[in-house]
């Protein structure tokens, strides 16, 4: 059951039908803008203008852009993997891998810093191991690219996933330890793009 949020805190009354439609409308407009302009390129005011609602109305349903994005998947594991399966786009394996990277960046940008520290700095956390469902989606993208002759088969698809995973986690770790001071989306896209190009035929 979804609850109306005011300033990030849950209220006790479930959403009515009209409120649910409003939330879904804001969500749809916000996601369309995020896909078009990127996470940092989209402002809350942009979303409000596209959805034709006030800024106050936005904050009645979402704490920030990160919460709007995360609303697509209530759990980070299988739900995020399902989101990736439905939303990754691109005509080539390279484009699809980089689509994965962009959504993965947004997940981390939109996650509160204390939660990121818990996830990345405590290796005993369940979300930390390599059996992350999101990486299973990436594996299918890479395997399909190999089958189409777009990606080298000199490396196993699992090896390529592991290399990308190390790049992603390394950048995110540096971002967290540096106080989230640099543009994570741009850094991940730039670094992983250079790595992926070494696999592309």
């Amino acid at each position: 059951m979804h609850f109306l949020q005011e300033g990030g805190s849950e209220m006790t009354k479930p959403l009515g039908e009209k409120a649910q439609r409003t939330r879904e409308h804001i969500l749809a407009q916000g996601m369309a803008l995020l896909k078009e302009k990127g996470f940092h390129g989209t402002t809350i005011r942009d979303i409000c203008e596209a959805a034709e609602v006030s800024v106050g109305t936005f904050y009645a349903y979402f704490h920030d852009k990160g919460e709007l994005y995360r609303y697509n998947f209530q759990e980070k594991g299988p739900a995020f993997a399902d989101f990736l399966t439905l939303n990754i786009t691109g005509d080539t394996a390279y484009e699809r891998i980089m689509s994965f990277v962009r959504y993965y960046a947004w997940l981390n940008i939109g996650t509160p810093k204390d939660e990121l520290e818990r996830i990345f700095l405590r290796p005993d956390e369940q979300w930390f191991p390599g059996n992350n469902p999101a990486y299973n989606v990436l594996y299918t993208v890479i395997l399909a690219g190999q089958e189409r002759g777009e990606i080298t088969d000199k490396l196993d698809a699992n090896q390529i996933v592991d290399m990308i995973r190390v790049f992603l986690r390394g950048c995110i770790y540096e971002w967290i330890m540096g106080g989230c001071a640099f543009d994570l989306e741009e850094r991940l896209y730039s670094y992983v793009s250079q790595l992926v190009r070494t696999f592309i035929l």
Side-chain angles (χ1 to χ4, degrees):
M1 180 180 293
H2 301 304
F3 293 87
L4 181 64
Q5 296 190 342
E6 186 76 47
S9 62
E10 285 191 342
M11 301 187 70
T12 56
K13 295 177 66 176
L15 290 178
E17 185 178 340
K18 182 179 178 182
Q20 184 67 28
R21 285 199 307 268
T22 299
R23 187 204 287 264
E24 297 300 329
H25 178 63
I26 296 170
L27 177 68
Q29 296 300 318
M31 284 304 300
L33 283 173
L34 288 173
K35 290 176 182 179
E36 177 188 346
K37 301 172 68 173
F39 197 90
H40 291 297
T42 302
T43 67
I44 289 173
R45 189 163 297 280
D46 291 337
I47 296 171
C48 293
E49 288 177 359
E52 299 182 327
V53 299
S54 69
V55 172
T57 298
F58 175 92
Y59 283 116
Y61 295 96
F62 302 102
H63 183 64
D64 52 26
K65 287 186 296 182
E67 185 175 71
L68 180 144
Y69 177 61
R70 294 194 311 276
Y71 183 78
N72 289 279
F73 36 90
Q74 299 301 311
E75 299 174 4
K76 287 191 179 65
F80 181 55
D82 291 343
F83 172 86
L84 290 171
T85 300
L86 292 172
N87 287 276
I88 286 177
T89 58
D91 295 328
T92 66
Y94 171 81
E95 290 171 348
R96 293 178 65 78
I97 293 169
M98 298 315 298
S99 180
F100 169 94
V101 169
R102 199 172 293 284
Y103 286 129
Y104 192 81
W106 293 358
L107 172 64
N108 288 278
I109 294 168
T111 299
K113 189 172 183 288
D114 61 340
E115 186 177 348
L116 283 175
E117 290 174 348
R118 177 180 59 79
I119 293 168
F120 280 86
L121 305 183
R122 296 185 188 175
D124 57 332
E125 286 290 335
Q126 188 175 7
W127 182 240
F128 192 89
N131 61 352
N132 183 318
Y135 290 117
N136 293 335
V137 177
L138 181 59
Y139 172 83
T140 63
V141 170
I142 290 169
L143 189 63
Q146 288 180 321
E147 290 171 352
R148 291 195 302 268
E150 297 179 61
I151 297 176
T152 181
D153 59 3
K154 292 181 180 179
L155 292 170
D156 181 82
N158 280 311
Q159 291 177 295
I160 296 176
V161 170
D162 195 52
M163 290 181 191
I164 295 174
R165 181 186 64 81
V166 169
F167 264 60
L168 291 172
R169 298 192 73 86
C171 282
I172 295 166
Y173 178 83
E174 292 284 332
W175 183 64
I176 295 169
M177 298 304 291
C180 305
F182 59 81
D183 185 334
L184 180 64
E185 181 180 355
E186 181 181 341
R187 181 73 60 86
L188 286 179
Y189 201 88
S190 173
Y191 282 22
V192 178
S193 175
Q194 293 180 60
L195 172 67
V196 171
R197 289 184 189 281
T198 67
F199 306 136
I200 298 297
L201 297 176

